[in-house]
Amino acid sequence: MARPPHAREKALDAYAEILRADGERAATIDAVAARAGVSKGGVLYHFPSKEALAEALLERFHEVSEAELIEMQTDPEGPSRNYVRTSWQTSEEEDPIYRAVLRLAQSSWQPAITAIEQIHKAWGDLVRGEVGDEAIADAIMLIGEGLYYHSAMPGTWTAGTFDHSIDDLLAVVDRLKKHATSSSEPYPWPPSAPPTP
Amino acid sequence: MARPPHAREKALDAYAEILRADGERAATIDAVAARAGVSKGGVLYHFPSKEALAEALLERFHEVSEAELIEMQTDPEGPSRNYVRTSWQTSEEEDPIYRAVLRLAQSSWQPAITAIEQIHKAWGDLVRGEVGDEAIADAIMLIGEGLYYHSAMPGTWTAGTFDHSIDDLLAVVDRLKKHATSSSEPYPWPPSAPPTP
DNA sequence: GTCTATAGGGCGATAGAC
DNA sequence: GTCTATCGCCCTATAGAC
């Protein structure tokens, strides 16, 4: 795996990008091959079926989301702010993988639905652990999911919509957190010293 | 239009339901015809092309969303609570049209994207008018959109997730509104006596 | 490993009987 | 108005040359 064939990665990149930008229906093997600069047969050599392409994307997703989860745990801002901030900022340009997988989930592909469900649960656990109030944790999670809702919408609709106000939004999150901690004793946070990378 | 052929409406219903439940790709003319209990040719008599089917759905959407907008304006709870509540509750069983159109938007069909964009802008204007604070209005809108994000996800993931906590969530919305009105003078609300239907 | 050529199946749309 | 039959296209996948 140290130096796998480049065509494979290029095809997977192309697949993710077409999915994200144009939707599941546009992500045909022809389109992937054209964008990756290889032939259809070339793509099908590395990915014996179209589903294999989707499965490979899901593997990438698991790697990336595991790393994101660690970042969220160790961010000195705390999980809530990290979640809301990255919900918007990784949506802007980075992290095309999440949104590509989201498209597969929206197309009712069960493995993608399960994967999204799992990572959301993990994120939600961290936020709940930090704020210690169920309803407020729900509200914070929904704000982040609302940002994903925007980022998952095709077209130019939401480009930059929250760029000017993400800090104000984070201030609202702070206020929600503060209210939660003042009305009930929160879970201990951070649970221990974050590991140094 | 007083008594249009039933097959037309049944086909449109079937199209919306398949779209909502199984995604854009599954909404073939064959599938629509089967669910509506007519033949493919029968469907294509009323809707000369597949796009005509989508356009008819969009017309329905415009009618329904106009009515929803009036409800949101006249709800004695105010637009914010109405928005958050209906974001979840109409997702449960009612309002398959919104989610059907959402699927078309997620498939990068521009007319659907534009329609969703417009209704969101109208909702956002009402919420901003009520709370009078930009960041808090954004947060409230995002909570509602987060609920739609859940409702737009296929499968059983989110079924009932917020049923037990929607009132707690509305309490958080109240708290956000309260903070906004205490820190800055809000817009006048309600603007005038709501029209009686 | 990557290509071209082609088989096989599904889908949108048309034609014409009833 | 609704049906059946069929055409033509696009997409997935396979076969085999290089």
Side-chain angles (χ1 to χ4, degrees), chain A residues 24-25 98 103 105-106 120 136 142 145 149-150 154 169 175 179, chain B residues 24-25 98 103 105-106 108 120 136 142 145 149-150 154 169 175 179:
Chain A
E24 192 269 341
R25 196 150 198 178
Y98 183 93
R103 289 301 180 91
Q106 289 165 350
H120 264 263
I136 289 180
L142 286 169
E145 284 150 17
Y149 171 100
H150 280 262
L169 204 55
R175 214 176 295 148
H179 188 95
Chain B
E24 192 270 339
R25 196 149 200 180
Y98 183 93
R103 289 300 179 92
Q106 288 165 350
S108 301
H120 265 263
I136 289 179
L142 286 168
E145 284 150 17
Y149 171 100
H150 280 262
L169 204 54
R175 216 177 292 148
H179 188 96

PDB file of all heavy atoms in Angstrom, chain A residues 24-25 98 103 105-106 120 136 142 145 149-150 154 169 175 179, chain B residues 24-25 98 103 105-106 108 120 136 142 145 149-150 154 169 175 179:
ATOM      1  N   GLU A  24     -25.544  11.820  -7.134  1.00  0.00           N
ATOM      2  CA  GLU A  24     -25.254  10.404  -7.332  1.00  0.00           C
ATOM      3  C   GLU A  24     -25.506   9.976  -8.776  1.00  0.00           C
ATOM      4  O   GLU A  24     -24.763   9.183  -9.333  1.00  0.00           O
ATOM      5  CB  GLU A  24     -26.133   9.585  -6.368  1.00  0.00           C
ATOM      6  CG  GLU A  24     -25.736   8.134  -6.253  1.00  0.00           C
ATOM      7  CD  GLU A  24     -26.483   7.264  -7.253  1.00  0.00           C
ATOM      8  OE1 GLU A  24     -27.546   7.697  -7.765  1.00  0.00           O
ATOM      9  OE2 GLU A  24     -26.007   6.163  -7.547  1.00  0.00           O
ATOM     10  N   ARG A  25     -26.540  10.541  -9.358  1.00  0.00           N
ATOM     11  CA  ARG A  25     -26.900  10.119 -10.700  1.00  0.00           C
ATOM     12  C   ARG A  25     -25.838  10.495 -11.727  1.00  0.00           C
ATOM     13  O   ARG A  25     -25.655   9.808 -12.730  1.00  0.00           O
ATOM     14  CB  ARG A  25     -28.238  10.741 -11.099  1.00  0.00           C
ATOM     15  CG  ARG A  25     -28.866  10.082 -12.286  1.00  0.00           C
ATOM     16  CD  ARG A  25     -30.377  10.157 -12.214  1.00  0.00           C
ATOM     17  NE  ARG A  25     -30.978   9.188 -13.090  1.00  0.00           N
ATOM     18  CZ  ARG A  25     -32.294   9.008 -13.203  1.00  0.00           C
ATOM     19  NH1 ARG A  25     -33.110   9.710 -12.470  1.00  0.00           N
ATOM     20  NH2 ARG A  25     -32.774   8.108 -14.027  1.00  0.00           N
ATOM     21  N   TYR A  98     -17.007  13.740   3.258  1.00  0.00           N
ATOM     22  CA  TYR A  98     -18.236  13.681   4.048  1.00  0.00           C
ATOM     23  C   TYR A  98     -19.449  13.958   3.172  1.00  0.00           C
ATOM     24  O   TYR A  98     -20.449  13.245   3.225  1.00  0.00           O
ATOM     25  CB  TYR A  98     -18.186  14.680   5.212  1.00  0.00           C
ATOM     26  CG  TYR A  98     -19.404  14.598   6.103  1.00  0.00           C
ATOM     27  CD1 TYR A  98     -19.414  13.788   7.228  1.00  0.00           C
ATOM     28  CD2 TYR A  98     -20.562  15.307   5.800  1.00  0.00           C
ATOM     29  CE1 TYR A  98     -20.534  13.689   8.034  1.00  0.00           C
ATOM     30  CE2 TYR A  98     -21.688  15.218   6.595  1.00  0.00           C
ATOM     31  CZ  TYR A  98     -21.673  14.405   7.709  1.00  0.00           C
ATOM     32  OH  TYR A  98     -22.787  14.310   8.487  1.00  0.00           O
ATOM     33  N   ARG A 103     -24.253  12.222  -0.009  1.00  0.00           N
ATOM     34  CA  ARG A 103     -25.041  12.005  -1.230  1.00  0.00           C
ATOM     35  C   ARG A 103     -25.439  10.547  -1.393  1.00  0.00           C
ATOM     36  O   ARG A 103     -26.566  10.241  -1.788  1.00  0.00           O
ATOM     37  CB  ARG A 103     -24.238  12.446  -2.471  1.00  0.00           C
ATOM     38  CG  ARG A 103     -24.074  13.934  -2.588  1.00  0.00           C
ATOM     39  CD  ARG A 103     -25.438  14.598  -2.664  1.00  0.00           C
ATOM     40  NE  ARG A 103     -25.302  16.033  -2.768  1.00  0.00           N
ATOM     41  CZ  ARG A 103     -25.230  16.686  -3.916  1.00  0.00           C
ATOM     42  NH1 ARG A 103     -25.314  16.031  -5.049  1.00  0.00           N
ATOM     43  NH2 ARG A 103     -25.094  17.993  -3.930  1.00  0.00           N
ATOM     44  N   ALA A 105     -25.855   8.497   1.041  1.00  0.00           N
ATOM     45  CA  ALA A 105     -26.886   8.259   2.057  1.00  0.00           C
ATOM     46  C   ALA A 105     -28.230   8.786   1.576  1.00  0.00           C
ATOM     47  O   ALA A 105     -29.262   8.134   1.737  1.00  0.00           O
ATOM     48  CB  ALA A 105     -26.494   8.907   3.377  1.00  0.00           C
ATOM     49  N   GLN A 106     -28.205   9.958   0.973  1.00  0.00           N
ATOM     50  CA  GLN A 106     -29.447  10.549   0.462  1.00  0.00           C
ATOM     51  C   GLN A 106     -30.033   9.731  -0.676  1.00  0.00           C
ATOM     52  O   GLN A 106     -31.211   9.852  -0.994  1.00  0.00           O
ATOM     53  CB  GLN A 106     -29.188  11.992  -0.001  1.00  0.00           C
ATOM     54  CG  GLN A 106     -28.950  12.943   1.160  1.00  0.00           C
ATOM     55  CD  GLN A 106     -28.356  14.261   0.722  1.00  0.00           C
ATOM     56  OE1 GLN A 106     -27.936  14.428  -0.417  1.00  0.00           O
ATOM     57  NE2 GLN A 106     -28.297  15.217   1.641  1.00  0.00           N
ATOM     58  N   HIS A 120     -22.256  10.564  13.615  1.00  0.00           N
ATOM     59  CA  HIS A 120     -23.088  11.553  14.296  1.00  0.00           C
ATOM     60  C   HIS A 120     -23.310  11.191  15.749  1.00  0.00           C
ATOM     61  O   HIS A 120     -23.316  12.052  16.626  1.00  0.00           O
ATOM     62  CB  HIS A 120     -24.437  11.686  13.579  1.00  0.00           C
ATOM     63  CG  HIS A 120     -24.460  12.814  12.616  1.00  0.00           C
ATOM     64  ND1 HIS A 120     -24.976  14.039  12.921  1.00  0.00           N
ATOM     65  CD2 HIS A 120     -23.970  12.918  11.359  1.00  0.00           C
ATOM     66  CE1 HIS A 120     -24.825  14.840  11.884  1.00  0.00           C
ATOM     67  NE2 HIS A 120     -24.230  14.173  10.924  1.00  0.00           N
ATOM     68  N   ILE A 136     -29.958  21.242  25.407  1.00  0.00           N
ATOM     69  CA  ILE A 136     -28.991  22.194  24.849  1.00  0.00           C
ATOM     70  C   ILE A 136     -27.993  21.475  23.952  1.00  0.00           C
ATOM     71  O   ILE A 136     -27.599  21.984  22.898  1.00  0.00           O
ATOM     72  CB  ILE A 136     -28.317  22.978  25.992  1.00  0.00           C
ATOM     73  CG1 ILE A 136     -29.358  23.939  26.598  1.00  0.00           C
ATOM     74  CG2 ILE A 136     -27.094  23.742  25.483  1.00  0.00           C
ATOM     75  CD1 ILE A 136     -28.846  24.771  27.733  1.00  0.00           C
ATOM     76  N   LEU A 142     -27.977  20.272  16.425  1.00  0.00           N
ATOM     77  CA  LEU A 142     -28.844  20.646  15.306  1.00  0.00           C
ATOM     78  C   LEU A 142     -28.291  21.852  14.555  1.00  0.00           C
ATOM     79  O   LEU A 142     -28.421  21.943  13.326  1.00  0.00           O
ATOM     80  CB  LEU A 142     -30.259  20.927  15.809  1.00  0.00           C
ATOM     81  CG  LEU A 142     -31.049  19.673  16.194  1.00  0.00           C
ATOM     82  CD1 LEU A 142     -32.330  20.051  16.921  1.00  0.00           C
ATOM     83  CD2 LEU A 142     -31.369  18.839  14.956  1.00  0.00           C
ATOM     84  N   GLU A 145     -25.801  20.423  12.336  1.00  0.00           N
ATOM     85  CA  GLU A 145     -26.447  19.680  11.255  1.00  0.00           C
ATOM     86  C   GLU A 145     -27.131  20.623  10.273  1.00  0.00           C
ATOM     87  O   GLU A 145     -27.179  20.359   9.072  1.00  0.00           O
ATOM     88  CB  GLU A 145     -27.426  18.661  11.839  1.00  0.00           C
ATOM     89  CG  GLU A 145     -26.682  17.461  12.407  1.00  0.00           C
ATOM     90  CD  GLU A 145     -27.397  16.803  13.571  1.00  0.00           C
ATOM     91  OE1 GLU A 145     -28.589  17.047  13.763  1.00  0.00           O
ATOM     92  OE2 GLU A 145     -26.726  16.034  14.301  1.00  0.00           O
ATOM     93  N   TYR A 149     -26.698  20.766   6.363  1.00  0.00           N
ATOM     94  CA  TYR A 149     -27.837  20.840   5.450  1.00  0.00           C
ATOM     95  C   TYR A 149     -27.540  21.851   4.345  1.00  0.00           C
ATOM     96  O   TYR A 149     -27.758  21.595   3.171  1.00  0.00           O
ATOM     97  CB  TYR A 149     -29.071  21.248   6.248  1.00  0.00           C
ATOM     98  CG  TYR A 149     -30.322  21.581   5.459  1.00  0.00           C
ATOM     99  CD1 TYR A 149     -31.344  20.653   5.321  1.00  0.00           C
ATOM    100  CD2 TYR A 149     -30.499  22.836   4.892  1.00  0.00           C
ATOM    101  CE1 TYR A 149     -32.500  20.965   4.637  1.00  0.00           C
ATOM    102  CE2 TYR A 149     -31.656  23.155   4.207  1.00  0.00           C
ATOM    103  CZ  TYR A 149     -32.648  22.218   4.078  1.00  0.00           C
ATOM    104  OH  TYR A 149     -33.787  22.544   3.390  1.00  0.00           O
ATOM    105  N   HIS A 150     -27.006  23.004   4.758  1.00  0.00           N
ATOM    106  CA  HIS A 150     -26.649  24.009   3.767  1.00  0.00           C
ATOM    107  C   HIS A 150     -25.532  23.511   2.853  1.00  0.00           C
ATOM    108  O   HIS A 150     -25.615  23.642   1.635  1.00  0.00           O
ATOM    109  CB  HIS A 150     -26.192  25.294   4.458  1.00  0.00           C
ATOM    110  CG  HIS A 150     -27.324  26.131   4.921  1.00  0.00           C
ATOM    111  ND1 HIS A 150     -27.791  27.204   4.208  1.00  0.00           N
ATOM    112  CD2 HIS A 150     -28.096  26.054   6.020  1.00  0.00           C
ATOM    113  CE1 HIS A 150     -28.806  27.745   4.858  1.00  0.00           C
ATOM    114  NE2 HIS A 150     -29.013  27.071   5.964  1.00  0.00           N
ATOM    115  N   PRO A 154     -26.759  21.453  -3.345  1.00  0.00           N
ATOM    116  CA  PRO A 154     -25.961  21.764  -4.523  1.00  0.00           C
ATOM    117  C   PRO A 154     -26.156  23.216  -4.950  1.00  0.00           C
ATOM    118  O   PRO A 154     -27.018  23.913  -4.430  1.00  0.00           O
ATOM    119  CB  PRO A 154     -26.500  20.818  -5.603  1.00  0.00           C
ATOM    120  CG  PRO A 154     -27.402  19.868  -4.919  1.00  0.00           C
ATOM    121  CD  PRO A 154     -27.869  20.544  -3.672  1.00  0.00           C
ATOM    122  N   LEU A 169     -22.143  33.125  15.629  1.00  0.00           N
ATOM    123  CA  LEU A 169     -22.839  31.873  15.885  1.00  0.00           C
ATOM    124  C   LEU A 169     -22.156  31.095  17.011  1.00  0.00           C
ATOM    125  O   LEU A 169     -22.822  30.531  17.890  1.00  0.00           O
ATOM    126  CB  LEU A 169     -22.841  31.041  14.599  1.00  0.00           C
ATOM    127  CG  LEU A 169     -23.921  29.992  14.430  1.00  0.00           C
ATOM    128  CD1 LEU A 169     -25.295  30.610  14.582  1.00  0.00           C
ATOM    129  CD2 LEU A 169     -23.786  29.338  13.066  1.00  0.00           C
ATOM    130  N   ARG A 175     -23.030  30.856  24.739  1.00  0.00           N
ATOM    131  CA  ARG A 175     -24.100  31.266  25.632  1.00  0.00           C
ATOM    132  C   ARG A 175     -24.954  30.060  26.040  1.00  0.00           C
ATOM    133  O   ARG A 175     -25.320  29.899  27.194  1.00  0.00           O
ATOM    134  CB  ARG A 175     -24.966  32.322  24.929  1.00  0.00           C
ATOM    135  CG  ARG A 175     -25.524  33.371  25.860  1.00  0.00           C
ATOM    136  CD  ARG A 175     -26.269  34.406  25.064  1.00  0.00           C
ATOM    137  NE  ARG A 175     -25.397  35.163  24.171  1.00  0.00           N
ATOM    138  CZ  ARG A 175     -25.785  35.661  22.994  1.00  0.00           C
ATOM    139  NH1 ARG A 175     -27.002  35.433  22.547  1.00  0.00           N
ATOM    140  NH2 ARG A 175     -24.949  36.377  22.266  1.00  0.00           N
ATOM    141  N   HIS A 179     -25.333  28.572  29.851  1.00  0.00           N
ATOM    142  CA  HIS A 179     -26.603  28.366  30.526  1.00  0.00           C
ATOM    143  C   HIS A 179     -26.718  26.930  31.027  1.00  0.00           C
ATOM    144  O   HIS A 179     -27.214  26.681  32.121  1.00  0.00           O
ATOM    145  CB  HIS A 179     -27.769  28.688  29.602  1.00  0.00           C
ATOM    146  CG  HIS A 179     -29.076  28.665  30.317  1.00  0.00           C
ATOM    147  ND1 HIS A 179     -29.659  29.783  30.831  1.00  0.00           N
ATOM    148  CD2 HIS A 179     -29.896  27.625  30.651  1.00  0.00           C
ATOM    149  CE1 HIS A 179     -30.779  29.470  31.438  1.00  0.00           C
ATOM    150  NE2 HIS A 179     -30.956  28.158  31.341  1.00  0.00           N
TER     151      HIS A 179
ATOM    152  N   GLU B  24     -34.342   9.941  -5.745  1.00  0.00           N
ATOM    153  CA  GLU B  24     -34.644  10.376  -7.109  1.00  0.00           C
ATOM    154  C   GLU B  24     -34.444   9.249  -8.102  1.00  0.00           C
ATOM    155  O   GLU B  24     -35.200   9.107  -9.057  1.00  0.00           O
ATOM    156  CB  GLU B  24     -33.738  11.576  -7.455  1.00  0.00           C
ATOM    157  CG  GLU B  24     -34.115  12.323  -8.704  1.00  0.00           C
ATOM    158  CD  GLU B  24     -33.429  11.749  -9.937  1.00  0.00           C
ATOM    159  OE1 GLU B  24     -32.374  11.055  -9.789  1.00  0.00           O
ATOM    160  OE2 GLU B  24     -33.924  11.960 -11.038  1.00  0.00           O
ATOM    161  N   ARG B  25     -33.427   8.445  -7.868  1.00  0.00           N
ATOM    162  CA  ARG B  25     -33.108   7.401  -8.826  1.00  0.00           C
ATOM    163  C   ARG B  25     -34.200   6.342  -8.899  1.00  0.00           C
ATOM    164  O   ARG B  25     -34.428   5.741  -9.944  1.00  0.00           O
ATOM    165  CB  ARG B  25     -31.774   6.755  -8.462  1.00  0.00           C
ATOM    166  CG  ARG B  25     -31.181   5.962  -9.574  1.00  0.00           C
ATOM    167  CD  ARG B  25     -29.671   5.969  -9.518  1.00  0.00           C
ATOM    168  NE  ARG B  25     -29.091   5.612 -10.791  1.00  0.00           N
ATOM    169  CZ  ARG B  25     -27.792   5.543 -11.008  1.00  0.00           C
ATOM    170  NH1 ARG B  25     -26.950   5.827 -10.049  1.00  0.00           N
ATOM    171  NH2 ARG B  25     -27.333   5.211 -12.188  1.00  0.00           N
ATOM    172  N   TYR B  98     -42.504  18.686   0.664  1.00  0.00           N
ATOM    173  CA  TYR B  98     -41.259  19.399   0.914  1.00  0.00           C
ATOM    174  C   TYR B  98     -40.064  18.463   0.767  1.00  0.00           C
ATOM    175  O   TYR B  98     -39.085  18.783   0.106  1.00  0.00           O
ATOM    176  CB  TYR B  98     -41.258  20.032   2.305  1.00  0.00           C
ATOM    177  CG  TYR B  98     -40.015  20.833   2.579  1.00  0.00           C
ATOM    178  CD1 TYR B  98     -39.971  22.193   2.321  1.00  0.00           C
ATOM    179  CD2 TYR B  98     -38.856  20.231   3.063  1.00  0.00           C
ATOM    180  CE1 TYR B  98     -38.827  22.935   2.544  1.00  0.00           C
ATOM    181  CE2 TYR B  98     -37.703  20.958   3.291  1.00  0.00           C
ATOM    182  CZ  TYR B  98     -37.690  22.317   3.038  1.00  0.00           C
ATOM    183  OH  TYR B  98     -36.536  23.030   3.251  1.00  0.00           O
ATOM    184  N   ARG B 103     -35.402  16.220  -2.301  1.00  0.00           N
ATOM    185  CA  ARG B 103     -34.655  15.191  -3.028  1.00  0.00           C
ATOM    186  C   ARG B 103     -34.265  15.658  -4.422  1.00  0.00           C
ATOM    187  O   ARG B 103     -33.163  15.398  -4.898  1.00  0.00           O
ATOM    188  CB  ARG B 103     -35.477  13.905  -3.141  1.00  0.00           C
ATOM    189  CG  ARG B 103     -35.635  13.169  -1.850  1.00  0.00           C
ATOM    190  CD  ARG B 103     -34.271  12.781  -1.314  1.00  0.00           C
ATOM    191  NE  ARG B 103     -34.386  12.079  -0.062  1.00  0.00           N
ATOM    192  CZ  ARG B 103     -34.460  10.767   0.052  1.00  0.00           C
ATOM    193  NH1 ARG B 103     -34.396  10.025  -1.020  1.00  0.00           N
ATOM    194  NH2 ARG B 103     -34.569  10.205   1.226  1.00  0.00           N
ATOM    195  N   ALA B 105     -33.799  18.732  -5.255  1.00  0.00           N
ATOM    196  CA  ALA B 105     -32.732  19.719  -5.073  1.00  0.00           C
ATOM    197  C   ALA B 105     -31.396  19.023  -4.826  1.00  0.00           C
ATOM    198  O   ALA B 105     -30.360  19.424  -5.371  1.00  0.00           O
ATOM    199  CB  ALA B 105     -33.069  20.648  -3.912  1.00  0.00           C
ATOM    200  N   GLN B 106     -31.431  17.971  -4.026  1.00  0.00           N
ATOM    201  CA  GLN B 106     -30.196  17.241  -3.744  1.00  0.00           C
ATOM    202  C   GLN B 106     -29.662  16.540  -4.988  1.00  0.00           C
ATOM    203  O   GLN B 106     -28.490  16.185  -5.054  1.00  0.00           O
ATOM    204  CB  GLN B 106     -30.446  16.210  -2.633  1.00  0.00           C
ATOM    205  CG  GLN B 106     -30.624  16.850  -1.271  1.00  0.00           C
ATOM    206  CD  GLN B 106     -31.220  15.908  -0.250  1.00  0.00           C
ATOM    207  OE1 GLN B 106     -31.674  14.815  -0.575  1.00  0.00           O
ATOM    208  NE2 GLN B 106     -31.229  16.330   1.007  1.00  0.00           N
ATOM    209  N   SER B 108     -29.462  18.061  -7.681  1.00  0.00           N
ATOM    210  CA  SER B 108     -28.954  19.175  -8.483  1.00  0.00           C
ATOM    211  C   SER B 108     -29.927  19.642  -9.562  1.00  0.00           C
ATOM    212  O   SER B 108     -29.495  20.145 -10.604  1.00  0.00           O
ATOM    213  CB  SER B 108     -27.592  18.838  -9.130  1.00  0.00           C
ATOM    214  OG  SER B 108     -26.639  18.537  -8.147  1.00  0.00           O
ATOM    215  N   HIS B 120     -36.966  29.259   2.089  1.00  0.00           N
ATOM    216  CA  HIS B 120     -36.095  29.436   3.253  1.00  0.00           C
ATOM    217  C   HIS B 120     -35.836  30.903   3.542  1.00  0.00           C
ATOM    218  O   HIS B 120     -35.786  31.323   4.692  1.00  0.00           O
ATOM    219  CB  HIS B 120     -34.766  28.700   3.040  1.00  0.00           C
ATOM    220  CG  HIS B 120     -34.759  27.354   3.631  1.00  0.00           C
ATOM    221  ND1 HIS B 120     -34.223  27.077   4.855  1.00  0.00           N
ATOM    222  CD2 HIS B 120     -35.273  26.188   3.170  1.00  0.00           C
ATOM    223  CE1 HIS B 120     -34.393  25.799   5.124  1.00  0.00           C
ATOM    224  NE2 HIS B 120     -35.022  25.230   4.120  1.00  0.00           N
ATOM    225  N   ILE B 136     -28.730  35.185  16.546  1.00  0.00           N
ATOM    226  CA  ILE B 136     -29.691  34.295  17.197  1.00  0.00           C
ATOM    227  C   ILE B 136     -30.733  33.806  16.197  1.00  0.00           C
ATOM    228  O   ILE B 136     -31.140  32.644  16.225  1.00  0.00           O
ATOM    229  CB  ILE B 136     -30.330  35.002  18.413  1.00  0.00           C
ATOM    230  CG1 ILE B 136     -29.254  35.117  19.504  1.00  0.00           C
ATOM    231  CG2 ILE B 136     -31.549  34.252  18.925  1.00  0.00           C
ATOM    232  CD1 ILE B 136     -29.701  35.815  20.752  1.00  0.00           C
ATOM    233  N   LEU B 142     -31.006  27.532  11.888  1.00  0.00           N
ATOM    234  CA  LEU B 142     -30.169  26.343  11.720  1.00  0.00           C
ATOM    235  C   LEU B 142     -30.725  25.154  12.499  1.00  0.00           C
ATOM    236  O   LEU B 142     -30.630  24.007  12.046  1.00  0.00           O
ATOM    237  CB  LEU B 142     -28.733  26.641  12.147  1.00  0.00           C
ATOM    238  CG  LEU B 142     -27.955  27.513  11.155  1.00  0.00           C
ATOM    239  CD1 LEU B 142     -26.650  27.997  11.775  1.00  0.00           C
ATOM    240  CD2 LEU B 142     -27.669  26.751   9.869  1.00  0.00           C
ATOM    241  N   GLU B 145     -33.292  23.803  10.328  1.00  0.00           N
ATOM    242  CA  GLU B 145     -32.693  23.125   9.187  1.00  0.00           C
ATOM    243  C   GLU B 145     -32.022  21.826   9.601  1.00  0.00           C
ATOM    244  O   GLU B 145     -32.007  20.849   8.839  1.00  0.00           O
ATOM    245  CB  GLU B 145     -31.712  24.077   8.492  1.00  0.00           C
ATOM    246  CG  GLU B 145     -32.457  25.123   7.660  1.00  0.00           C
ATOM    247  CD  GLU B 145     -31.720  26.452   7.546  1.00  0.00           C
ATOM    248  OE1 GLU B 145     -30.519  26.506   7.827  1.00  0.00           O
ATOM    249  OE2 GLU B 145     -32.383  27.440   7.174  1.00  0.00           O
ATOM    250  N   TYR B 149     -32.565  18.242   8.078  1.00  0.00           N
ATOM    251  CA  TYR B 149     -31.450  17.368   7.719  1.00  0.00           C
ATOM    252  C   TYR B 149     -31.760  15.941   8.173  1.00  0.00           C
ATOM    253  O   TYR B 149     -31.586  14.986   7.426  1.00  0.00           O
ATOM    254  CB  TYR B 149     -30.182  17.896   8.385  1.00  0.00           C
ATOM    255  CG  TYR B 149     -28.960  17.020   8.319  1.00  0.00           C
ATOM    256  CD1 TYR B 149     -27.961  17.269   7.385  1.00  0.00           C
ATOM    257  CD2 TYR B 149     -28.767  15.983   9.220  1.00  0.00           C
ATOM    258  CE1 TYR B 149     -26.823  16.489   7.342  1.00  0.00           C
ATOM    259  CE2 TYR B 149     -27.632  15.198   9.188  1.00  0.00           C
ATOM    260  CZ  TYR B 149     -26.661  15.447   8.244  1.00  0.00           C
ATOM    261  OH  TYR B 149     -25.546  14.677   8.207  1.00  0.00           O
ATOM    262  N   HIS B 150     -32.263  15.846   9.397  1.00  0.00           N
ATOM    263  CA  HIS B 150     -32.633  14.527   9.893  1.00  0.00           C
ATOM    264  C   HIS B 150     -33.779  13.934   9.086  1.00  0.00           C
ATOM    265  O   HIS B 150     -33.732  12.776   8.695  1.00  0.00           O
ATOM    266  CB  HIS B 150     -33.045  14.617  11.358  1.00  0.00           C
ATOM    267  CG  HIS B 150     -31.888  14.659  12.283  1.00  0.00           C
ATOM    268  ND1 HIS B 150     -31.423  13.554  12.929  1.00  0.00           N
ATOM    269  CD2 HIS B 150     -31.076  15.671  12.637  1.00  0.00           C
ATOM    270  CE1 HIS B 150     -30.377  13.883  13.670  1.00  0.00           C
ATOM    271  NE2 HIS B 150     -30.145  15.171  13.519  1.00  0.00           N
ATOM    272  N   PRO B 154     -32.767   9.160   4.539  1.00  0.00           N
ATOM    273  CA  PRO B 154     -33.600   7.980   4.359  1.00  0.00           C
ATOM    274  C   PRO B 154     -33.380   6.977   5.494  1.00  0.00           C
ATOM    275  O   PRO B 154     -32.487   7.144   6.323  1.00  0.00           O
ATOM    276  CB  PRO B 154     -33.115   7.401   3.036  1.00  0.00           C
ATOM    277  CG  PRO B 154     -32.216   8.422   2.436  1.00  0.00           C
ATOM    278  CD  PRO B 154     -31.680   9.237   3.560  1.00  0.00           C
ATOM    279  N   LEU B 169     -36.615  21.422  23.318  1.00  0.00           N
ATOM    280  CA  LEU B 169     -35.931  22.181  22.279  1.00  0.00           C
ATOM    281  C   LEU B 169     -36.608  23.541  22.085  1.00  0.00           C
ATOM    282  O   LEU B 169     -35.926  24.575  21.922  1.00  0.00           O
ATOM    283  CB  LEU B 169     -35.982  21.377  20.979  1.00  0.00           C
ATOM    284  CG  LEU B 169     -34.918  21.656  19.928  1.00  0.00           C
ATOM    285  CD1 LEU B 169     -33.528  21.522  20.518  1.00  0.00           C
ATOM    286  CD2 LEU B 169     -35.087  20.683  18.766  1.00  0.00           C
ATOM    287  N   ARG B 175     -35.478  30.613  25.141  1.00  0.00           N
ATOM    288  CA  ARG B 175     -34.379  31.226  25.867  1.00  0.00           C
ATOM    289  C   ARG B 175     -33.540  32.091  24.915  1.00  0.00           C
ATOM    290  O   ARG B 175     -33.124  33.195  25.257  1.00  0.00           O
ATOM    291  CB  ARG B 175     -33.528  30.120  26.485  1.00  0.00           C
ATOM    292  CG  ARG B 175     -32.961  30.490  27.838  1.00  0.00           C
ATOM    293  CD  ARG B 175     -32.204  29.311  28.408  1.00  0.00           C
ATOM    294  NE  ARG B 175     -33.083  28.204  28.748  1.00  0.00           N
ATOM    295  CZ  ARG B 175     -32.719  26.916  28.679  1.00  0.00           C
ATOM    296  NH1 ARG B 175     -31.501  26.587  28.256  1.00  0.00           N
ATOM    297  NH2 ARG B 175     -33.558  25.978  29.027  1.00  0.00           N
ATOM    298  N   HIS B 179     -33.070  36.152  25.204  1.00  0.00           N
ATOM    299  CA  HIS B 179     -31.779  36.837  25.275  1.00  0.00           C
ATOM    300  C   HIS B 179     -31.671  37.907  24.200  1.00  0.00           C
ATOM    301  O   HIS B 179     -31.164  38.999  24.433  1.00  0.00           O
ATOM    302  CB  HIS B 179     -30.634  35.848  25.133  1.00  0.00           C
ATOM    303  CG  HIS B 179     -29.308  36.487  25.381  1.00  0.00           C
ATOM    304  ND1 HIS B 179     -28.680  36.448  26.606  1.00  0.00           N
ATOM    305  CD2 HIS B 179     -28.506  37.227  24.580  1.00  0.00           C
ATOM    306  CE1 HIS B 179     -27.554  37.134  26.541  1.00  0.00           C
ATOM    307  NE2 HIS B 179     -27.414  37.601  25.320  1.00  0.00           N
TER     308      HIS B 179
END
